[in-house]
Amino acid sequence: MKEKIKGIIKDILDIEESDIKDDALIVDDLGADSIAVMEIVMEIEDEFDVEIDTETIPNFKTINDIVAYLEK
Amino acid sequence: MKARIIDVGKYVPNLSISNEDFTKIMDTNNEWIVQRTGISSRHFSEINTSEMAYQAVLNLLENTKFNKEDIEIIIVCTCTPDAYSPSVANLVKKKLKLSKDIPSFDINAACSGFIYGLKVVQGLIESGLYQNIILVGSENLSKLLNFDDRSTAVLFGDGAGAILVQGSNQGIIDTLIYNKDDINGAINIPNGINIETPFTNNQCSGPAHIQMKGQDVFKFATKVCINMLKEIVVKNNLTFNDIKCIIPHQANLRIIEYAIKMLGINKDKFVITLESLGNTSSASIPIALDSIKKELKKGDKLIFVAFGGGLTYGVSLLEW
């Protein structure tokens, strides 16, 4: 799951996968703006067949946060 | 009988407001705005919605040499009327000084207004009720902006576009319009006039400003844009190769680019004018159409697609 999420983030932010650490801050460290975050969420929704409420998105600071949410 | 767009006219105010101008009144910068919206400047109007609509109609009449006395009905799409009554369409008709009492009325479907208007026009012409219709999208959005909110104030601009639609053997092929409940309050222009009577428990509301939840809007807009474009070509046994150009509602470049990426369509097919105009709501599609009309040949297939407050959305496929 984590590798798939990293792949999505890599493609959307156009960065090297090696730069994407599990605890990297998606906005502050990886440079995603609010729309890029939404793009990441929408691709995760498609990939994992889930519906993520936009109210939840501010909780997704790192990849670990996203994984924890999806594993619930 | 089909409803054919004969020609288009527009009005764009002279006053252009750059991103740099916004940096003088709020904490923002050009790079921030361009990266998130694709917008560099927009036009603000010192005249109200009905006068802009009237100017667009005059431009249309000049382009077509159509006799204004042959207009049978005037419909204006707007969510920024001058007043509750008379309607903007009533005011446009008055300004035109027509000799006959032809009907005129407004449609409010926010940024999808022009597609809703096309659906009404299509029905009126296909049913044989009318043959010569003026449809206008006109918006003065600057009067509804909150200049303390940097996330919305930079998005919108003012303008108007008008089309003449007549009965013909070719024209609009199909128009689909929808309304999805705005559960999360993604796009709102709340308030308006307060309830204040001597007999009611009055609650004063705040000023009428545009409010948006950007991420909810992005998700809604991209999904319906992608789904509607797919739906209308499949429903009409076409592929995107058959389409000369697609005019999306000019809300935000990131929305359009995401749809392009997910659909795998060449970006050159999309008409994009928002860089210098911003989001002009129901006026954005006719203004964009005006910008490319000289490149269109008879028989070219076009798609208009829009989404907006409500949450309204719609798509129209037509032959030029």
Side-chain angles (χ1 to χ4, degrees):
Chain A
M1 179 189 289
K2 197 172 277 183
E3 294 314 308
K4 279 185 179 169
I5 295 170
K6 284 185 180 179
I8 289 169
I9 292 174
K10 170 179 102 51
D11 290 344
I12 289 172
L13 299 183
D14 196 18
I15 55 177
E16 294 298 322
E17 197 158 336
S18 56
D19 292 338
I20 308 174
K21 313 292 181 205
D22 294 357
D23 58 353
L25 296 168
I26 296 167
V27 173
D28 293 338
D29 295 339
L30 303 182
D33 64 22
S34 60
I35 298 175
V37 170
M38 198 64 228
E39 288 186 39
I40 292 166
V41 167
M42 288 166 65
E43 300 236 354
I44 288 170
E45 286 183 328
D46 287 345
E47 178 66 36
F48 298 102
D49 196 23
V50 291
E51 180 85 19
I52 299 171
D53 194 307
T54 48
E55 305 285 325
T56 311
I57 296 171
N59 300 329
F60 297 160
K61 307 279 190 219
T62 67
I63 291 168
N64 282 337
D65 294 335
I66 299 173
V67 171
Y69 175 86
L70 293 174
E71 284 178 344
K72 262 187 201 169
Chain B
M1 181 68 69
K2 287 187 172 168
R4 180 167 179 229
I5 298 177
I6 303 300
D7 208 340
V8 57
K10 71 170 179 186
Y11 172 79
V12 174
N14 288 329
L15 180 62
S16 176
I17 308 294
S18 69
N19 291 347
E20 195 60 36
D21 291 325
F22 273 91
T23 65
K24 296 167 190 162
I25 60 163
M26 62 174 61
D27 179 21
T28 190
N29 62 69
N30 181 59
E31 188 188 4
W32 191 95
I33 299 169
V34 170
Q35 184 191 330
R36 284 161 180 79
T37 69
I39 297 165
S40 296
S41 61
R42 71 291 290 148
H43 294 256
F44 283 175
S45 177
E46 290 166 321
I47 56 175
N48 216 332
T49 304
S50 67
E51 183 64 22
M52 288 197 295
Y54 172 61
Q55 293 298 327
V57 172
L58 288 185
N59 182 236
L60 170 68
L61 294 175
E62 191 181 318
N63 293 342
T64 56
K65 308 298 176 205
F66 187 74
N67 181 354
K68 67 180 182 181
E69 293 296 340
D70 292 331
I71 302 169
E72 293 175 86
I73 184 165
I74 299 167
I75 302 171
V76 176
C77 314
T78 187
C79 61
T80 55
D82 300 28
Y84 285 94
S85 184
S87 70
V88 173
N90 296 159
L91 294 169
V92 170
K93 180 186 164 291
K94 184 179 175 186
K95 289 168 193 282
L96 283 166
K97 297 186 171 63
L98 303 180
S99 63
K100 287 179 284 187
D101 289 345
I102 64 162
S104 66
F105 62 90
D106 289 357
I107 292 173
N108 179 354
C111 298
S112 311
F114 191 73
I115 308 294
Y116 272 62
L118 279 178
K119 183 75 173 179
V120 172
V121 168
Q122 186 185 349
L124 291 173
I125 287 183
E126 288 180 358
S127 64
L129 290 172
Y130 294 93
Q131 289 293 304
N132 299 292
I133 301 178
I134 298 282
L135 178 69
V136 188
S138 184
E139 304 282 9
N140 186 317
L141 292 143
S142 58
K143 66 185 177 186
L144 296 177
L145 296 178
N146 176 1
F147 289 96
D148 292 324
D149 178 5
R150 69 173 186 168
S151 67
T152 56
V154 299
L155 300 177
F156 297 92
D158 302 331
I163 56 171
L164 169 65
V165 190
Q166 293 182 319
S168 176
N169 59 359
Q170 66 182 78
I172 299 173
I173 297 166
D174 198 5
T175 304
L176 309 169
I177 53 174
Y178 301 97
N179 175 207
K180 174 186 171 72
D181 292 344
D182 188 359
I183 304 290
N184 290 339
I187 314 170
N188 278 307
I189 310 173
N191 305 324
I193 290 181
N194 296 323
I195 298 171
E196 287 184 271
T197 81
F199 311 106
T200 51
N201 184 17
N202 300 327
Q203 293 183 351
C204 292
S205 46
H209 283 152
I210 295 173
Q211 298 172 0
M212 283 174 55
K213 293 182 178 172
Q215 289 182 324
D216 285 297
V217 174
F218 184 84
K219 188 174 186 179
F220 157 70
T222 51
K223 285 199 170 178
V224 297
C225 193
I226 292 163
N227 291 341
M228 283 190 294
L229 287 171
K230 284 181 185 168
E231 182 181 356
I232 202 146
V233 293
V234 169
K235 182 166 176 266
N236 290 281
N237 300 312
L238 298 169
T239 72
F240 288 116
N241 290 333
D242 300 312
I243 307 300
K244 164 87 173 176
C245 66
I246 296 168
I247 304 183
H249 166 50
Q250 308 285 311
N252 185 316
L253 188 60
R254 297 280 288 273
I255 291 172
I256 298 170
E257 285 181 336
Y258 187 83
I260 290 170
K261 183 175 85 172
M262 300 312 277
L263 288 164
I265 304 174
N266 189 332
K267 189 176 178 181
D268 292 343
K269 251 190 217 301
F270 283 73
V271 180
I272 299 172
T273 60
L274 56 79
E275 197 260 343
S276 63
L277 294 170
N279 177 350
T280 56
S281 189
S282 68
S284 82
I285 290 175
I287 291 174
L289 176 63
D290 186 83
S291 74
I292 56 137
K293 67 181 179 185
K294 290 194 175 127
E295 298 161 32
L296 297 174
K297 296 186 189 73
K298 191 174 181 191
D300 282 345
K301 289 187 178 63
L302 290 77
I303 299 178
F304 305 149
V305 60
F307 40 82
L311 299 165
T312 55
Y313 56 107
V315 62
S316 190
L317 166 70
L318 59 117
E319 208 166 29
W320 189 248

